[in-house]
């Protein structure tokens, strides 16, 4: 369904009122301030052009001051960048048209993070939350001719440390990340992407910048800041209604009429409105009187403001969106009810009345520098998820609330999104200032995102209930109640309450993992949030044999599980040099941010596979990368299949699994991690009667290949003279995607497609293609 906020029909409506002799269309003027700014560091020794939206690291790289931050050990070498303070400056000239407007706002869609804004040398305001949009009223500060706009940014590392120092009453753990992550401390004291201070799969790049758009918005009387809508279904009356929320910024008190109509569905309502000066949020409900067809409908939305002898008509569109906002009708319920033959409660999603098994993965930030996340990257990753038969992704709470396009694509592709709030693996302060900025963040994000049908659940945090319950931070027993009180205050009394006020169309869960309703019974921190009889579970075991499904918890919903692997050599090569290419190199251990991760991969691999034994060191390295991927693919496959089977089983009181979201879909940089996108499974499958290392008669296959150009892609046909397990295809640095690049070759011939993302040729592909299979490594 399409919610189309537009002006069509306004003239009829206005004439029909018959009162006004003059009417005019009110227009907001927008001056885009994106583009080239100047950037300088605190002592002025560096002065360079910088793109906005953007960040300091990207600007330094684009201007040649630093090389690729992902290269070798640069995450550590470039630590100085985020220890310095930086200033962004731009100039602009005021147009005559703009200067006569009653109100002018300076709008920042996102400042990363601790900033002071000044215009023509006069302080305008401060920022301290990367996840908030800020606007400042600046009409009186603007002058004819050139205006100078500056944003000073404090080092996020120093700011977090200052905040920590000021918090003297008790410790808010963790103080620092584990040493193996080579990260920065006290990230929980700053409202910023938590993984930007390092994570167990990612580097420490505490970014600073104007990471979203900057503009002036000028208007008379009023403007629409945001429009959002959610459909609600009333079972008792079998009726849909659409709740529409308008966030209006009025210059002065304004009275008038608002008409909302959906002609295709024969629904129209008129409301008397009254806006006080400043920002007002108004909610309106339209009842849908006809049976819904799944065709788009337009919502016409017109406000007329009464002035003596005149009628002002407002074209209601919110500033950021060029396209009409859309609304789709669907219901979502999270069902937690008794299960026959099993203690505890079910935990599954019912969409449009149907129980749905969520198959998918977890989403982390796509890049350390968000300005480098292009629409193509998002489209490609999300399409890849769909092509791998996923129907759900969890936007994990240590990253960012994704950009609008992410959710738009999910809406289009039918990907269901489990949306965390951005709190992860930590306790958080609860001082008034901190709570205040979190409240603003939550309201803004829910208002921005709630129109997206793809989001099926809000979730308060990642693993913080578990961290408290299972005492990750060695909190003395006597102090536990205080931490639990803080936890409840932040996630329940504030976030949960706000979200539920803002959005009644989808469920809210306080944490993940959690026992859900049972956690609530236990005061929001369950004794064992990993209880498989309730809620969702995160489960990791690197040492136990992953081919043995008996080691996995038969949970109601597996929202995280996974195994690490190394990326392929073609991924690592551009960020490393020859001396790095061995499993024991400094580079190999530097990139591993998970304690003992490299060792664990080898031990897990050795349970079922021969380890590479080539004498050539490079071949041995690339074979090792390959075999860790084979291991990972098998482990994730085994565990995922276990959860799929458990959907229809109750064994020893456990089962009815209704979700399997493995950790993790994507990577942030070129390093070992849990990420993978495995391929379409089914309806065929295979079963090994023994470990491949014990298999008799496996011959080294002779695989020949023929690449051909087709209309829309290249086809790659392999011919093998014997069975070839775990065939792995790689085309080096030619960007693109195989329809399948890892498979068992059990027939003589197999053809896969390759979609190239830049022009290439049969000759280049043939020359770049490497084929590895299991018998090549020993
Ligand atoms: C989880 C996540 C992340 C982490 C991953 C792998 O528990 O929530 O914090 O990166 O495990 O260790």
């Amino acid at each position: 369904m399409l919610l189309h906020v537009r002006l069509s029909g306004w003239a009829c409506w206005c004439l029909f009122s018959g009162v006004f002799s003059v009417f005019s269309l009110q227009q907001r003027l927008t001056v885009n301030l994106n583009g080239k700014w100047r950037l300088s560091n605190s002592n002025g020794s560096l002065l360079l052009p910088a793109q906005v939206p953007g960040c300091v690291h990207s600007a330094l790289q684009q201007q040649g001051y630093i090389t690729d931050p992902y290269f070798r050990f640069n995450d550590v070498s470039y630590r100085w960048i985020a220890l310095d303070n930086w200033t962004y400056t731009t100039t602009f000239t005021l147009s005559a048209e703009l200067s006569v407007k009653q109100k002018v706002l300076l709008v920042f869609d996102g400042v990363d993070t601790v900033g002071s804004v000044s215009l023509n040398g006069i302080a305008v305001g401060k920022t301290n939350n990367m996840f908030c949009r800020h606007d400042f009223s600046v009409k009186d500060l603007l002058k004819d001719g050139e205006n100078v706009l500056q944003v000073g940014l404090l080092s996020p590392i120093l700011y977090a440390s200052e905040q920590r120092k000021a918090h003297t009453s008790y410790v808010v753990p963790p103080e620092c990340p584990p040493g193996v992550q080579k990260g920065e401390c006290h990230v929980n004291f700053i409202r910023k992407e938590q993984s930007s201070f390092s994570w167990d799969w990612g580097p420490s790049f505490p970014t600073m910048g104007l990471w979203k758009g900057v503009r002036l918005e000028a208007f008379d009387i009023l403007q629409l800041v945001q429009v959002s809508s959610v459909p609600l279904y009333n079972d008792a009356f079998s009726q849909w209604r659409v709740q529409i929320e308008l966030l209006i910024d009025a210059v002065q008190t304004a009275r008038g009429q608002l008409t909302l109509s959906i002609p295709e569905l024969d629904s129209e309502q008129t409301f008397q409105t009254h806006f006080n000066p400043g920002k007002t949020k108004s909610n309106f409900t339209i009842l849908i009187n006809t049976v819904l067809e799944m065709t788009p409908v337009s919502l016409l939305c017109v406000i007329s403001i009464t002035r003596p002898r005149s009628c002002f008509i407002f074209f209601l569109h919110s500033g950021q969106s060029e396209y009409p906002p859309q609304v789709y009708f669907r219901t979502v319920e999270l069902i937690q009810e008794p299960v026959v033959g099993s203690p505890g409660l079910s935990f599954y999603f019912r969409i449009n009345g149907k129980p749905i098994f969520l198959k998918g993965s977890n989403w982390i930030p796509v890049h350390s520098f968000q300005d480098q996340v292009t629409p193509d990257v998002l489209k490609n990753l999300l399409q890849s998820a769909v092509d791998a038969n996923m129907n759900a992704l969890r936007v994990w709470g240590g990253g960012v609330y994704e950009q609008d396009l992410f959710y738009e694509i999910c809406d289009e592709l039918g990907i269901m999104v489990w949306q965390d709030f951005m709190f992860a693996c930590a306790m958080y302060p609860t001082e008034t200032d901190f709570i205040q900025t979190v409240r603003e963040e939550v309201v803004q994000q829910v208002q921005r995102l709630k129109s997206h049908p793809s989001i099926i659940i809000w979730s308060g945090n990642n693993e913080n209930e578990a961290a408290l319950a299972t005492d990750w931070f060695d909190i003395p027993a006597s102090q536990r109640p205080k931490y639990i009180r803080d936890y409840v205050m932040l996630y329940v009394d504030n976030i949960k309450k706000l979200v539920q006020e803002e959005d009644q169309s989808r469920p809210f869960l306080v944490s993940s993992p959690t026992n859900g309703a049972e956690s609530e019974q236990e005061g929001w921190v369950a004794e064992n949030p990993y209880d498989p009889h309730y809620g969702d579970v995160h489960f990791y075991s690197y040492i136990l044999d992953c081919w043995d499904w008996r080691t996995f918890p038969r949970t109601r919903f597996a929202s995280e599980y996974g195994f690490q692997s190394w990326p392929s050599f073609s991924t690592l090569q551009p960020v490393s040099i020859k001396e790095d290419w061995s499993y024991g190199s400094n580079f190999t251990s530097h990139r591993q941010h998970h304690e003992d991760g490299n060792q664990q991969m080898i031990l897990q691999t050795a349970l079922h596979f021969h380890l590479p034994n080539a004498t050539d060191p490079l071949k041995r390295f690339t074979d090792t990368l390959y075999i860790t991927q084979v291991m990972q693919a098998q482990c994730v496959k085994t565990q995922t299949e276990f959860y799929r089977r458990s959907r229809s089983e109750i064994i020893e009181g456990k089962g009815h699994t209704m979700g399997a979201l493995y950790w993790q879909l994507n990577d942030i940089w070129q390093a070992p991690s849990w990420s993978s996108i495995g391929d379409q499974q089914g309806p065929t499958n295979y079963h090994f009667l023994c470990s491949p290392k014990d298999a008799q008669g496996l011959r080294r296959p002779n695989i020949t290949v023929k690449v051909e150009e087709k209309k829309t892609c290249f086809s790659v046909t392999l011919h093998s003279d014997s069975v070839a397990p775990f065939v792995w295809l790689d085309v080096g640095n030619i960007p693109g995607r195989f329809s399948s690049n890892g498979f068992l070759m059990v027939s003589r011939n197999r053809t896969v497609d390759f979609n190239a993302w830049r022009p290439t040729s049969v000759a280049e592909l043939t020359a770049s293609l490497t084929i590895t299979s299991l018998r090549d490594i020993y």
Side-chain angles (χ1 to χ4, degrees):
M1 295 288 174
L2 183 75
L3 170 78
H4 190 175
V5 182
R6 64 176 168 157
L7 192 63
S8 321
W10 61 271
C12 285
W13 182 88
C14 193
L15 290 175
F16 177 74
S17 70
V19 185
F20 309 108
S21 57
V22 179
F23 52 84
S24 64
L25 176 63
Q26 293 301 306
Q27 286 213 316
R28 170 188 29 215
L29 283 180
T30 302
V31 178
N32 187 338
L33 298 178
N34 295 340
K36 208 160 262 174
W37 290 45
R38 293 190 305 282
L39 177 65
S40 58
N41 64 341
S42 56
N43 66 10
S45 57
L46 291 170
L47 181 63
L48 58 147
Q51 197 63 31
V52 171
C55 70
V56 174
H57 289 81
S58 294
L60 289 168
Q61 186 186 0
Q62 278 149 15
Q63 295 304 317
Y65 287 85
I66 60 172
T67 56
D68 179 2
Y70 285 169
F71 187 69
R72 298 194 79 208
F73 307 92
N74 278 351
D75 52 320
V76 172
S77 313
Y78 294 155
R79 191 171 170 241
W80 60 270
I81 296 169
L83 285 167
D84 206 345
N85 302 327
W86 295 84
T87 302
Y88 277 84
T89 308
T90 192
T91 53
F92 60 91
T93 311
L94 209 59
S95 70
E97 253 181 318
L98 188 132
S99 57
V100 295
K101 290 284 178 191
Q102 290 175 350
K103 187 160 183 177
V104 184
L105 291 177
L106 172 60
V107 181
F108 294 89
D109 282 328
V111 177
D112 179 12
T113 292
V114 188
S116 329
V117 182
S118 70
L119 185 59
N120 297 322
I122 297 169
V124 165
K126 288 183 180 295
T127 67
N128 65 2
N129 188 330
M130 174 187 188
F131 306 123
C132 285
R133 170 191 193 270
H134 296 88
D135 56 42
F136 305 105
S137 185
V138 293
K139 181 170 168 66
D140 296 341
L141 301 180
L142 291 166
K143 54 183 196 191
D144 291 341
E146 198 177 74
N147 289 267
V148 181
L149 175 60
Q150 274 201 330
V151 184
L153 294 170
L154 285 185
S155 155
I157 303 172
L158 300 181
Y159 172 84
S161 148
E162 289 304 314
Q163 296 297 110
R164 158 68 186 93
K165 271 190 223 143
H167 194 284
T168 47
S169 46
Y170 58 96
V171 172
V172 186
E175 297 268 49
C176 295
V180 67
Q181 288 179 202
K182 297 159 276 281
E184 304 294 349
C185 301
H186 312 303
V187 71
N188 46 351
F189 279 89
I190 179 168
R191 288 309 297 146
K192 171 174 179 54
E193 177 190 321
Q194 299 289 282
S195 58
S196 68
F197 277 39
S198 83
W199 213 261
D200 62 0
W201 35 256
S204 172
F205 284 117
T207 44
M208 308 163 72
L210 303 176
W211 73 298
K212 296 195 170 189
V214 186
R215 66 187 169 276
L216 291 172
E217 285 175 0
F219 56 95
D220 294 317
I221 305 179
L222 58 78
Q223 75 152 342
L224 177 69
V225 181
Q226 174 107 34
V227 58
S228 41
S229 61
V230 288
L232 296 170
Y233 188 69
N234 184 324
D235 267 325
F237 298 103
S238 307
Q239 191 181 39
W240 284 99
R241 58 190 203 280
V242 181
Q243 239 176 34
I244 295 151
E245 186 177 281
L246 306 181
L247 184 61
I248 303 275
D249 190 355
V251 180
Q252 62 219 48
T253 306
R255 280 173 211 287
Q257 281 199 141
L258 167 73
T259 297
L260 300 168
S261 67
I262 305 181
E264 291 97 322
L265 296 180
D266 220 7
S267 304
E268 172 168 313
Q269 266 162 275
T270 296
F271 307 84
Q272 298 304 317
T273 56
H274 172 108
F275 301 108
N276 288 325
K279 285 205 190 104
T280 318
K281 200 178 72 182
S282 309
N283 283 297
F284 305 93
T285 302
I286 314 191
L287 293 177
I288 306 299
N289 297 319
T290 48
V291 177
L292 283 181
E293 305 262 342
M294 292 313 282
T295 50
V297 291
S298 310
L299 172 72
L300 311 182
C301 176
V302 179
I303 290 184
S304 75
I305 297 295
T306 315
R307 282 277 187 288
R309 303 185 58 71
S310 62
C311 160
F312 296 91
I313 304 293
F314 292 87
F315 177 16
L316 293 188
H317 67 95
S318 62
Q320 300 95 311
S321 164
E322 304 227 332
Y323 304 98
Q326 298 187 325
V327 69
Y328 301 77
F329 290 83
R330 64 109 183 81
T331 59
V332 51
E333 300 158 275
L334 176 61
I335 307 298
Q336 301 182 73
E337 61 189 16
V339 180
V340 178
S342 170
L345 297 172
S346 66
F347 188 91
Y348 68 91
F349 291 90
R350 201 150 63 191
I351 311 287
N352 292 333
K354 290 207 170 69
I356 299 283
F357 189 105
L358 264 58
K359 320 175 270 187
S361 180
N362 283 269
W363 177 275
I364 63 161
V366 173
H367 203 287
S368 291
F369 312 118
Q370 282 291 316
D371 51 288
Q372 296 184 34
V373 181
T374 61
D376 279 352
V377 168
L378 285 183
K379 281 181 202 153
N380 178 37
L381 272 168
L382 292 170
Q383 185 61 53
S384 304
V386 170
D387 291 349
N389 278 336
M390 295 186 196
N391 65 13
L393 291 174
R394 170 170 172 249
V395 177
W396 167 78
V400 294
Y401 305 94
E402 281 296 331
Q403 50 181 287
D404 294 342
L405 181 64
F406 172 92
Y407 302 95
E408 282 160 18
I409 300 173
C410 289
D411 293 346
E412 288 299 316
L413 294 180
I415 298 175
M416 291 172 277
V417 175
W418 172 313
Q419 178 66 48
D420 279 4
F421 285 88
M422 295 300 133
F423 302 86
C425 304
M427 302 294 100
Y428 286 86
T430 55
E431 276 63 42
T432 315
D433 286 358
F434 190 87
I435 293 283
Q436 219 29 64
T437 188
V438 167
R439 288 179 66 86
E440 183 62 33
E441 164 190 332
V442 168
V443 169
Q444 284 195 18
Q445 292 298 339
V446 175
Q447 285 178 357
R448 178 174 74 94
L449 299 178
K450 70 179 171 183
S451 308
H452 291 283
S454 52
I455 298 178
I456 58 162
I457 187 167
W458 303 108
S459 175
N461 67 70
N462 174 71
E463 298 186 345
N464 298 351
E465 179 185 344
L468 263 178
T470 59
D471 199 18
W472 290 7
F473 306 122
D474 296 325
I475 294 170
S478 61
Q479 290 186 29
R480 234 178 101 79
K482 180 164 56 211
Y483 287 90
I484 293 181
R485 248 193 333 265
D486 276 3
Y487 177 88
V488 173
M489 178 182 170
L490 179 58
Y491 302 109
V492 182
D493 301 344
N494 281 282
I495 298 180
K496 177 172 183 286
K497 197 155 173 275
L498 280 174
V499 174
Q500 290 180 334
E501 277 165 21
E502 288 294 330
D503 180 11
Q504 294 90 45
S505 74
R506 40 173 82 76
F508 178 90
L509 204 62
V510 175
S511 188
S512 172
T514 182
N515 290 348
E518 171 60 21
S519 288
E520 179 173 355
Q521 289 293 315
E522 296 181 38
W524 303 104
V525 179
E527 197 181 326
N528 173 22
Y530 297 100
D531 188 336
H533 301 96
Y534 296 98
D536 65 325
V537 166
H538 297 185
F539 177 78
Y540 295 93
S541 165
Y542 306 112
I543 305 297
L544 298 175
D545 179 0
C546 78
W547 284 36
D548 182 356
W549 53 265
R550 288 165 304 189
T551 64
F552 307 134
R554 202 183 287 276
T555 164
R556 303 285 192 219
F557 193 107
S559 47
E560 277 192 24
Y561 58 96
F563 298 84
Q564 279 202 327
S565 72
W566 273 84
S568 56
F569 185 63
S570 54
T571 300
L572 287 177
Q573 196 178 13
V575 293
S576 57
I577 60 173
K578 201 161 172 239
E579 72 177 69
D580 301 331
W581 299 337
S582 72
Y583 207 68
S585 73
N586 287 342
F587 173 80
T588 307
S589 69
H590 178 83
R591 299 300 262 216
Q592 175 57 270
H593 281 200
H594 168 65
E595 196 76 59
D596 296 331
N598 288 347
Q599 182 66 3
Q600 287 164 356
M601 278 185 264
I602 295 298
L603 291 176
Q604 183 63 249
T605 301
L607 294 176
H608 296 284
F609 301 95
H610 289 291
L611 294 177
N613 62 2
T615 44
D616 172 50
L618 180 58
K619 176 159 169 38
R620 196 176 177 135
F621 182 57
T622 55
D623 285 349
T624 306
L625 305 180
Y626 156 81
I627 199 67
T628 64
Q629 295 198 5
V630 172
M631 172 275 289
Q632 181 196 47
Q634 287 307 293
C635 289
V636 174
K637 175 179 189 290
T638 311
Q639 197 166 355
T640 304
E641 288 176 350
F642 167 76
Y643 291 132
R644 293 287 278 165
R645 282 200 303 280
S646 300
R647 173 184 179 147
S648 38
E649 288 177 343
I650 293 283
I651 293 178
E652 293 169 357
K654 291 183 228 133
H656 262 256
T657 307
M658 282 299 280
L661 308 179
Y662 70 85
W663 186 264
Q664 70 206 62
L665 181 79
N666 54 313
D667 259 324
I668 197 166
W669 73 333
Q670 308 87 338
S673 85
W674 293 255
S675 88
S676 67
I677 302 183
D679 61 55
Q680 193 160 325
Q681 292 293 336
T684 60
N685 206 341
Y686 53 87
H687 177 69
F688 293 111
L689 298 176
C690 68
S691 296
K693 69 175 182 181
D694 300 323
Q696 302 290 313
L698 263 187
R699 287 198 292 128
R700 188 160 296 170
N702 179 23
I703 302 180
T704 53
V705 63
K706 189 166 177 206
V707 180
E708 286 168 295
E709 187 158 3
K710 293 269 151 74
K711 261 197 191 135
T712 54
C713 64
F714 291 87
S715 72
V716 178
T717 302
L718 308 178
H719 175 85
S720 178
D721 63 355
S722 62
V723 165
F726 303 109
V727 173
W728 214 261
L729 306 179
D730 192 312
V731 279
N733 60 9
I734 303 175
R737 185 146 61 88
F738 282 103
S739 53
S740 179
N741 72 330
F743 44 82
L744 304 181
M745 202 148 161
V746 287
S747 57
R748 285 189 189 282
N749 299 306
R750 171 142 188 180
T751 301
V752 293
D753 292 337
F754 180 76
N755 273 299
W757 299 333
R758 68 155 167 80
T760 181
S761 61
V762 168
E764 190 192 15
L765 272 177
T766 309
S768 308
L769 184 65
T770 53
I771 303 164
T772 312
S773 79
L774 195 64
R775 273 305 269 117
D776 294 327
I777 71 163
Y778 65 95

